[in-house]
Amino acid sequence: MSLFAVLQLALTVVLALMFVAMGTLHFVPGPARTMAAMIPAPLRSATITPRMLVVFTGVCEIAGGIGLLLPGTRPAAAVSLIVFLIAVFPANASAARQPERFGKLAVPFVPRLLGQLVLIVALVVVLL
């Protein structure tokens, strides 16, 4: 096994653990309430509540993390997580502008953007 393959596997495991851990936070009452408050107004409705979206995104992160660990699902999981990171960025950017409301989850815009880009690049490396 080449050095790149070993590093790629280690990166895959780290990303999988991170996405599973982050997805699990969607089911912890305090963080889940804060995440629900971050859902932008256009996505709120009587049919699809912010809490439902938080649960859905948590399941997506957990499934994506587990999918990264299985060679047969790794490509689909990596691409899905890239799409996921892009899709949730507007809510994160909105929260970044309101640190007094969202506390620690309101990572400032530039570090949040850089973090999302690093994760996307890392997922691309997993795909190689």
Side-chain angles (χ1 to χ4, degrees), residues 49-107:
T49 67
R51 179 68 183 131
M52 289 168 67
L53 290 171
V54 169
V55 168
F56 176 72
T57 56
V59 169
C60 288
E61 286 186 278
I62 293 168
I66 293 169
L68 289 175
L69 296 174
L70 306 171
T73 59
R74 187 171 297 142
V79 169
S80 296
L81 287 167
I82 290 169
V83 170
F84 172 84
L85 288 168
I86 294 166
V88 300
F89 186 74
N92 293 327
S94 175
R97 291 188 294 273
Q98 303 174 62
E100 67 288 342
R101 182 174 177 201
F102 296 114
K104 288 187 243 178
L105 290 176
V107 176

Side-chain angles (χ1 to χ4, degrees), residues 41-53:
L43 296 178
R44 295 170 176 270
S45 74
T47 308
I48 301 175
T49 67
R51 179 68 183 131
M52 289 168 67
L53 290 171

Side-chain angles (χ1 to χ4, degrees), residues 1 3-21 61-79 81 118-128:
M1 187 180 257
L3 178 60
F4 178 77
V6 171
L7 293 174
Q8 187 181 39
L9 180 60
L11 178 62
T12 301
V13 171
V14 168
L15 286 170
L17 292 172
M18 186 210 66
F19 278 107
V20 169
E61 286 186 278
I62 293 168
I66 293 169
L68 289 175
L69 296 174
L70 306 171
T73 59
R74 187 171 297 142
V79 169
L81 287 167
V118 166
L119 289 173
I120 289 169
V121 168
L123 288 163
V124 169
V125 171
V126 166
L127 284 169
L128 298 176

Side-chain angles (χ1 to χ4, degrees), residues 17-35:
L17 292 172
M18 186 210 66
F19 278 107
V20 169
M22 294 303 295
T24 302
L25 277 179
H26 289 67
F27 299 94
V28 176
R33 274 191 302 279
T34 303
M35 289 178 207

